[in-house]
Amino acid sequence: MPWAVPSVVSGVLWGQMFHADTGFLNALLFKVGIISNYKIWLADPVVSLHIIAIAEIWKAIPFMTLFFLSGLQSLPSECFEAASVDGANIFQKFYYILVPLMIPIAIPLFLVQFVLAMKSFDTIFVLTRGGPGGGTTTLNYFIYQEAFETFNLGRASAAAYILLVITVAIVLIPIISKYIIHKFWSIK
């Protein structure tokens, strides 16, 4: 469900959940007796940044789950059976068999999620518009502000190039490290 919901709709739903007067979270905490006055969740820069992170993670969970599930289903059962015969416990099977076999699935998946996180805009725009006090202004949202709010296209272009360089550098790290490992530490 979270993956099918458009980002703007998701942002509106999260905004309604954390709304100061009519939000579900404030009503629940007030009824239980944890708070006595309604809290303005999106007025605190640290809390609002965490709310945006939770909303983005919530959207990514189905995508990640589908890929990890398909990866788990494609693993050879013979490895786990051989480990059981050799007397490996569940933690040893996890650490020595499952994790190494899942790395080829996890690395590209985390790279895709990183690229999606670097270009996240909708949730920030709907929930906080970069505020309060610039606490949720990411580089991507800063580019939008410079280009379309202040019409400072030079700064927006420079920031976009910086975002591109950061993204490409992070994406190239696993590729370069794989090359280095195979080039210098492979057994010949």
Side-chain angles (χ1 to χ4, degrees):
M1 189 74 180
W3 196 24
V5 174
S7 298
V8 173
V9 175
S10 171
V12 170
L13 290 174
W14 282 92
Q16 292 299 319
M17 191 180 339
F18 287 99
H19 193 271
D21 296 327
T22 60
F24 169 75
L25 188 61
N26 268 340
L28 179 69
L29 294 177
F30 185 76
K31 289 259 189 211
V32 174
I34 295 175
I35 60 172
S36 58
N37 295 330
Y38 288 139
K39 181 175 170 81
I40 304 172
W41 296 97
L42 296 174
D44 184 6
V46 175
V47 173
S48 58
L49 188 61
H50 285 89
I51 290 170
I52 289 171
I54 290 168
E56 290 291 323
I57 291 168
W58 178 77
K59 284 189 325 188
I61 285 175
F63 179 75
M64 302 277 283
T65 303
L66 283 174
F67 275 88
F68 275 122
L69 179 62
S70 66
L72 286 171
Q73 290 175 343
S74 70
L75 294 180
S77 61
E78 294 85 17
C79 297
F80 296 100
E81 292 170 6
S84 295
V85 169
D86 290 341
N89 62 26
I90 193 162
F91 299 109
Q92 291 170 330
K93 290 180 196 174
F94 176 79
Y95 186 75
Y96 293 109
I97 298 172
L98 183 67
V99 171
L101 289 176
M102 288 297 289
I103 285 177
I105 295 158
I107 289 175
L109 190 57
F110 286 128
L111 287 176
V112 167
Q113 286 304 111
F114 172 76
V115 171
L116 291 175
M118 291 300 283
K119 66 183 202 103
S120 70
F121 171 81
D122 304 340
T123 309
I124 296 169
F125 183 79
V126 171
L127 283 176
T128 62
R129 299 202 192 274
T136 59
T137 301
T138 60
L139 188 55
N140 193 20
Y141 194 77
F142 174 77
I143 294 167
Y144 164 78
Q145 286 178 322
E146 289 297 316
F148 300 111
E149 289 179 4
T150 62
F151 301 108
N152 192 349
L153 299 178
R155 283 180 63 142
S157 296
Y161 278 114
I162 291 170
L163 180 64
L164 174 71
V165 167
I166 291 170
T167 305
V168 168
I170 298 292
V171 167
L172 286 178
I173 287 173
I175 297 168
I176 292 170
S177 63
K178 184 177 179 181
Y179 171 75
I180 290 171
I181 288 169
H182 286 291
K183 180 76 174 171
F184 297 107
W185 284 284
S186 62
I187 299 173
K188 297 181 181 184

Short mmCIF file of all heavy atoms in Angstrom, two decimals, residues 113-156:
data_model
loop_
_atom_site.label_atom_id
_atom_site.label_comp_id
_atom_site.label_asym_id
_atom_site.label_seq_id
_atom_site.Cartn_x
_atom_site.Cartn_y
_atom_site.Cartn_z
N GLN A 113 17.85 2.82 -3.45
CA GLN A 113 17.20 3.57 -2.39
C GLN A 113 17.96 4.85 -2.07
O GLN A 113 17.36 5.87 -1.75
CB GLN A 113 17.05 2.71 -1.14
CG GLN A 113 15.97 1.67 -1.26
CD GLN A 113 14.62 2.27 -1.60
OE1 GLN A 113 14.11 2.08 -2.68
NE2 GLN A 113 14.05 3.02 -0.71
N PHE A 114 19.29 4.81 -2.15
CA PHE A 114 20.08 6.02 -1.92
C PHE A 114 19.78 7.08 -2.98
O PHE A 114 19.59 8.25 -2.66
CB PHE A 114 21.58 5.68 -1.92
CG PHE A 114 22.44 6.91 -1.88
CD1 PHE A 114 22.59 7.63 -0.72
CD2 PHE A 114 23.08 7.35 -3.03
CE1 PHE A 114 23.37 8.77 -0.69
CE2 PHE A 114 23.86 8.48 -3.01
CZ PHE A 114 24.01 9.20 -1.84
N VAL A 115 19.72 6.67 -4.23
CA VAL A 115 19.42 7.62 -5.30
C VAL A 115 18.02 8.19 -5.12
O VAL A 115 17.80 9.40 -5.29
CB VAL A 115 19.59 6.95 -6.69
CG1 VAL A 115 19.08 7.84 -7.79
CG2 VAL A 115 21.06 6.61 -6.92
N LEU A 116 17.07 7.36 -4.75
CA LEU A 116 15.71 7.85 -4.50
C LEU A 116 15.68 8.81 -3.31
O LEU A 116 14.94 9.79 -3.33
CB LEU A 116 14.75 6.68 -4.27
CG LEU A 116 14.45 5.81 -5.48
CD1 LEU A 116 13.59 4.62 -5.08
CD2 LEU A 116 13.76 6.62 -6.56
N ALA A 117 16.47 8.52 -2.29
CA ALA A 117 16.52 9.41 -1.12
C ALA A 117 17.17 10.75 -1.47
O ALA A 117 16.75 11.79 -0.96
CB ALA A 117 17.29 8.74 0.01
N MET A 118 18.17 10.72 -2.35
CA MET A 118 18.83 11.98 -2.73
C MET A 118 17.90 12.89 -3.53
O MET A 118 18.09 14.09 -3.55
CB MET A 118 20.10 11.69 -3.53
CG MET A 118 21.21 11.08 -2.72
SD MET A 118 21.75 12.10 -1.35
CE MET A 118 22.74 13.30 -2.19
N LYS A 119 16.93 12.31 -4.20
CA LYS A 119 16.03 13.14 -4.98
C LYS A 119 14.66 13.30 -4.33
O LYS A 119 13.72 13.75 -4.97
CB LYS A 119 15.89 12.61 -6.40
CG LYS A 119 15.24 11.29 -6.54
CD LYS A 119 15.23 10.83 -7.99
CE LYS A 119 14.14 9.82 -8.19
NZ LYS A 119 12.98 10.35 -8.83
N SER A 120 14.55 12.96 -3.05
CA SER A 120 13.25 13.12 -2.38
C SER A 120 12.92 14.60 -2.25
O SER A 120 13.72 15.41 -1.82
CB SER A 120 13.27 12.44 -1.01
OG SER A 120 14.09 13.15 -0.13
N PHE A 121 11.74 14.93 -2.65
CA PHE A 121 11.30 16.31 -2.66
C PHE A 121 9.86 16.44 -2.19
O PHE A 121 9.53 17.34 -1.42
CB PHE A 121 11.43 16.87 -4.09
CG PHE A 121 10.81 18.21 -4.28
CD1 PHE A 121 11.49 19.35 -3.89
CD2 PHE A 121 9.55 18.35 -4.83
CE1 PHE A 121 10.91 20.60 -4.05
CE2 PHE A 121 8.97 19.59 -5.00
CZ PHE A 121 9.65 20.72 -4.61
N ASP A 122 8.99 15.55 -2.64
CA ASP A 122 7.55 15.69 -2.43
C ASP A 122 7.18 15.74 -0.96
O ASP A 122 6.39 16.59 -0.54
CB ASP A 122 6.80 14.54 -3.11
CG ASP A 122 7.11 14.43 -4.58
OD1 ASP A 122 7.59 15.44 -5.14
OD2 ASP A 122 6.91 13.36 -5.17
N THR A 123 7.71 14.84 -0.17
CA THR A 123 7.36 14.77 1.24
C THR A 123 7.80 16.03 1.97
O THR A 123 7.05 16.57 2.79
CB THR A 123 7.99 13.52 1.89
OG1 THR A 123 7.68 12.38 1.09
CG2 THR A 123 7.49 13.31 3.28
N ILE A 124 8.99 16.52 1.66
CA ILE A 124 9.49 17.74 2.29
C ILE A 124 8.63 18.93 1.89
O ILE A 124 8.25 19.75 2.73
CB ILE A 124 10.96 17.98 1.92
CG1 ILE A 124 11.83 16.86 2.46
CG2 ILE A 124 11.45 19.32 2.44
CD1 ILE A 124 13.24 16.86 1.93
N PHE A 125 8.27 19.00 0.63
CA PHE A 125 7.47 20.11 0.14
C PHE A 125 6.10 20.13 0.80
O PHE A 125 5.61 21.17 1.22
CB PHE A 125 7.33 20.03 -1.39
CG PHE A 125 6.57 21.18 -1.99
CD1 PHE A 125 7.20 22.40 -2.18
CD2 PHE A 125 5.25 21.04 -2.35
CE1 PHE A 125 6.51 23.47 -2.73
CE2 PHE A 125 4.54 22.10 -2.90
CZ PHE A 125 5.19 23.32 -3.09
N VAL A 126 5.48 18.98 0.91
CA VAL A 126 4.12 18.93 1.46
C VAL A 126 4.12 19.13 2.97
O VAL A 126 3.28 19.85 3.50
CB VAL A 126 3.45 17.58 1.09
CG1 VAL A 126 2.14 17.39 1.81
CG2 VAL A 126 3.23 17.50 -0.41
N LEU A 127 5.07 18.52 3.68
CA LEU A 127 5.04 18.57 5.13
C LEU A 127 5.57 19.88 5.71
O LEU A 127 4.94 20.47 6.58
CB LEU A 127 5.83 17.40 5.72
CG LEU A 127 5.15 16.04 5.70
CD1 LEU A 127 6.08 14.97 6.23
CD2 LEU A 127 3.88 16.07 6.51
N THR A 128 6.75 20.32 5.27
CA THR A 128 7.40 21.43 5.97
C THR A 128 7.86 22.57 5.07
O THR A 128 8.23 23.63 5.58
CB THR A 128 8.64 20.92 6.73
OG1 THR A 128 9.57 20.39 5.80
CG2 THR A 128 8.26 19.89 7.76
N ARG A 129 7.91 22.35 3.76
CA ARG A 129 8.47 23.34 2.83
C ARG A 129 9.88 23.79 3.24
O ARG A 129 10.24 24.95 3.12
CB ARG A 129 7.55 24.54 2.68
CG ARG A 129 6.20 24.18 2.11
CD ARG A 129 5.54 25.39 1.50
NE ARG A 129 4.14 25.13 1.21
CZ ARG A 129 3.70 24.57 0.10
NH1 ARG A 129 4.55 24.21 -0.83
NH2 ARG A 129 2.41 24.38 -0.10
N GLY A 130 10.65 22.85 3.76
CA GLY A 130 12.04 23.14 4.12
C GLY A 130 12.21 23.70 5.52
O GLY A 130 13.32 23.85 5.99
N GLY A 131 11.16 24.02 6.19
CA GLY A 131 11.23 24.62 7.52
C GLY A 131 11.13 23.56 8.59
O GLY A 131 11.19 22.37 8.29
N PRO A 132 11.02 23.91 9.79
CA PRO A 132 11.12 25.24 10.38
C PRO A 132 12.58 25.69 10.49
O PRO A 132 13.44 24.91 10.86
CB PRO A 132 10.50 25.06 11.76
CG PRO A 132 10.67 23.62 12.07
CD PRO A 132 10.65 22.90 10.77
N GLY A 133 12.81 26.89 10.12
CA GLY A 133 14.15 27.46 10.18
C GLY A 133 15.15 26.75 9.28
O GLY A 133 16.33 26.74 9.58
N GLY A 134 14.69 26.17 8.18
CA GLY A 134 15.57 25.47 7.28
C GLY A 134 16.02 24.12 7.79
O GLY A 134 16.95 23.51 7.24
N GLY A 135 15.38 23.61 8.83
CA GLY A 135 15.78 22.35 9.46
C GLY A 135 15.58 21.12 8.59
O GLY A 135 16.22 20.11 8.79
N THR A 136 14.67 21.21 7.62
CA THR A 136 14.43 20.07 6.74
C THR A 136 14.78 20.38 5.30
O THR A 136 14.33 19.69 4.39
CB THR A 136 12.95 19.62 6.83
OG1 THR A 136 12.12 20.71 6.45
CG2 THR A 136 12.59 19.16 8.22
N THR A 137 15.59 21.39 5.10
CA THR A 137 16.02 21.74 3.75
C THR A 137 17.16 20.82 3.33
O THR A 137 18.27 20.92 3.84
CB THR A 137 16.47 23.21 3.67
OG1 THR A 137 15.39 24.03 4.07
CG2 THR A 137 16.89 23.58 2.27
N THR A 138 16.86 19.92 2.44
CA THR A 138 17.89 19.05 1.88
C THR A 138 18.51 19.75 0.67
O THR A 138 18.02 20.80 0.22
CB THR A 138 17.29 17.71 1.46
OG1 THR A 138 16.28 17.94 0.49
CG2 THR A 138 16.70 16.98 2.66
N LEU A 139 19.54 19.16 0.12
CA LEU A 139 20.18 19.77 -1.05
C LEU A 139 19.22 19.82 -2.23
O LEU A 139 19.18 20.81 -2.97
CB LEU A 139 21.45 18.99 -1.41
CG LEU A 139 22.35 19.59 -2.49
CD1 LEU A 139 22.75 21.02 -2.15
CD2 LEU A 139 23.57 18.73 -2.68
N ASN A 140 18.42 18.80 -2.38
CA ASN A 140 17.44 18.77 -3.46
C ASN A 140 16.40 19.87 -3.29
O ASN A 140 16.02 20.54 -4.25
CB ASN A 140 16.78 17.39 -3.50
CG ASN A 140 16.01 17.16 -4.76
OD1 ASN A 140 16.23 17.82 -5.76
ND2 ASN A 140 15.10 16.21 -4.71
N TYR A 141 15.91 20.06 -2.06
CA TYR A 141 14.93 21.12 -1.82
C TYR A 141 15.57 22.50 -1.94
O TYR A 141 14.93 23.45 -2.39
CB TYR A 141 14.28 20.95 -0.44
CG TYR A 141 13.05 21.79 -0.30
CD1 TYR A 141 11.86 21.40 -0.89
CD2 TYR A 141 13.08 22.99 0.38
CE1 TYR A 141 10.73 22.19 -0.79
CE2 TYR A 141 11.96 23.78 0.48
CZ TYR A 141 10.79 23.38 -0.11
OH TYR A 141 9.67 24.16 -0.02
N PHE A 142 16.84 22.61 -1.56
CA PHE A 142 17.56 23.88 -1.72
C PHE A 142 17.65 24.27 -3.20
O PHE A 142 17.50 25.44 -3.55
CB PHE A 142 18.96 23.76 -1.11
CG PHE A 142 19.83 24.96 -1.34
CD1 PHE A 142 19.65 26.11 -0.61
CD2 PHE A 142 20.83 24.93 -2.31
CE1 PHE A 142 20.45 27.23 -0.83
CE2 PHE A 142 21.63 26.03 -2.54
CZ PHE A 142 21.44 27.18 -1.79
N ILE A 143 17.88 23.28 -4.06
CA ILE A 143 17.93 23.55 -5.50
C ILE A 143 16.59 24.10 -5.96
O ILE A 143 16.53 25.07 -6.73
CB ILE A 143 18.31 22.27 -6.27
CG1 ILE A 143 19.74 21.87 -5.94
CG2 ILE A 143 18.13 22.46 -7.77
CD1 ILE A 143 20.11 20.48 -6.41
N TYR A 144 15.50 23.50 -5.50
CA TYR A 144 14.17 23.99 -5.86
C TYR A 144 13.98 25.43 -5.38
O TYR A 144 13.48 26.28 -6.13
CB TYR A 144 13.09 23.09 -5.24
CG TYR A 144 11.73 23.71 -5.23
CD1 TYR A 144 10.96 23.77 -6.38
CD2 TYR A 144 11.22 24.28 -4.07
CE1 TYR A 144 9.71 24.37 -6.38
CE2 TYR A 144 9.98 24.87 -4.04
CZ TYR A 144 9.23 24.91 -5.20
OH TYR A 144 8.01 25.51 -5.19
N GLN A 145 14.35 25.72 -4.12
CA GLN A 145 14.17 27.07 -3.59
C GLN A 145 14.96 28.10 -4.38
O GLN A 145 14.45 29.17 -4.70
CB GLN A 145 14.60 27.11 -2.12
CG GLN A 145 13.63 26.46 -1.18
CD GLN A 145 14.14 26.49 0.25
OE1 GLN A 145 15.33 26.33 0.51
NE2 GLN A 145 13.22 26.68 1.19
N GLU A 146 16.20 27.76 -4.68
CA GLU A 146 17.03 28.71 -5.42
C GLU A 146 16.52 28.92 -6.84
O GLU A 146 16.57 30.03 -7.36
CB GLU A 146 18.49 28.23 -5.45
CG GLU A 146 19.19 28.33 -4.13
CD GLU A 146 19.31 29.77 -3.63
OE1 GLU A 146 19.66 30.65 -4.44
OE2 GLU A 146 19.06 29.99 -2.44
N ALA A 147 16.04 27.87 -7.48
CA ALA A 147 15.62 27.98 -8.88
C ALA A 147 14.24 28.60 -9.02
O ALA A 147 14.04 29.46 -9.88
CB ALA A 147 15.64 26.60 -9.54
N PHE A 148 13.28 28.20 -8.19
CA PHE A 148 11.90 28.57 -8.44
C PHE A 148 11.29 29.53 -7.43
O PHE A 148 10.22 30.07 -7.69
CB PHE A 148 11.03 27.30 -8.51
CG PHE A 148 11.46 26.38 -9.61
CD1 PHE A 148 12.04 25.15 -9.31
CD2 PHE A 148 11.31 26.74 -10.93
CE1 PHE A 148 12.44 24.31 -10.31
CE2 PHE A 148 11.72 25.89 -11.95
CZ PHE A 148 12.29 24.68 -11.63
N GLU A 149 11.95 29.78 -6.31
CA GLU A 149 11.43 30.75 -5.36
C GLU A 149 12.22 32.06 -5.43
O GLU A 149 11.64 33.13 -5.42
CB GLU A 149 11.45 30.18 -3.95
CG GLU A 149 10.40 29.10 -3.74
CD GLU A 149 10.44 28.52 -2.34
OE1 GLU A 149 11.23 29.00 -1.49
OE2 GLU A 149 9.67 27.58 -2.09
N THR A 150 13.56 31.96 -5.49
CA THR A 150 14.37 33.18 -5.55
C THR A 150 14.90 33.46 -6.95
O THR A 150 15.53 34.49 -7.16
CB THR A 150 15.56 33.09 -4.57
OG1 THR A 150 16.39 32.00 -4.93
CG2 THR A 150 15.06 32.93 -3.14
N PHE A 151 14.67 32.55 -7.88
CA PHE A 151 15.11 32.68 -9.28
C PHE A 151 16.61 32.92 -9.41
O PHE A 151 17.07 33.62 -10.29
CB PHE A 151 14.32 33.77 -10.01
CG PHE A 151 12.86 33.50 -10.03
CD1 PHE A 151 11.99 34.26 -9.25
CD2 PHE A 151 12.34 32.48 -10.80
CE1 PHE A 151 10.65 33.99 -9.25
CE2 PHE A 151 11.00 32.22 -10.82
CZ PHE A 151 10.13 32.97 -10.04
N ASN A 152 17.37 32.33 -8.50
CA ASN A 152 18.83 32.39 -8.55
C ASN A 152 19.32 31.13 -9.25
O ASN A 152 19.71 30.15 -8.61
CB ASN A 152 19.39 32.52 -7.13
CG ASN A 152 20.85 32.87 -7.13
OD1 ASN A 152 21.51 32.82 -8.17
ND2 ASN A 152 21.35 33.23 -5.96
N LEU A 153 19.30 31.16 -10.57
CA LEU A 153 19.58 29.96 -11.35
C LEU A 153 21.04 29.52 -11.28
O LEU A 153 21.34 28.33 -11.41
CB LEU A 153 19.15 30.16 -12.80
CG LEU A 153 17.65 30.43 -12.98
CD1 LEU A 153 17.33 30.66 -14.45
CD2 LEU A 153 16.83 29.31 -12.42
N GLY A 154 21.95 30.45 -11.08
CA GLY A 154 23.36 30.10 -10.97
C GLY A 154 23.63 29.25 -9.74
O GLY A 154 24.30 28.22 -9.82
N ARG A 155 23.11 29.67 -8.59
CA ARG A 155 23.28 28.88 -7.37
C ARG A 155 22.56 27.55 -7.46
O ARG A 155 23.04 26.53 -6.98
CB ARG A 155 22.78 29.66 -6.15
CG ARG A 155 23.74 30.73 -5.70
CD ARG A 155 23.19 31.45 -4.52
NE ARG A 155 23.05 30.54 -3.38
CZ ARG A 155 23.29 30.87 -2.14
NH1 ARG A 155 23.68 32.08 -1.85
NH2 ARG A 155 23.12 30.01 -1.17
N ALA A 156 21.40 27.54 -8.10
CA ALA A 156 20.65 26.29 -8.26
C ALA A 156 21.42 25.31 -9.14
O ALA A 156 21.50 24.12 -8.83
CB ALA A 156 19.28 26.58 -8.85
#
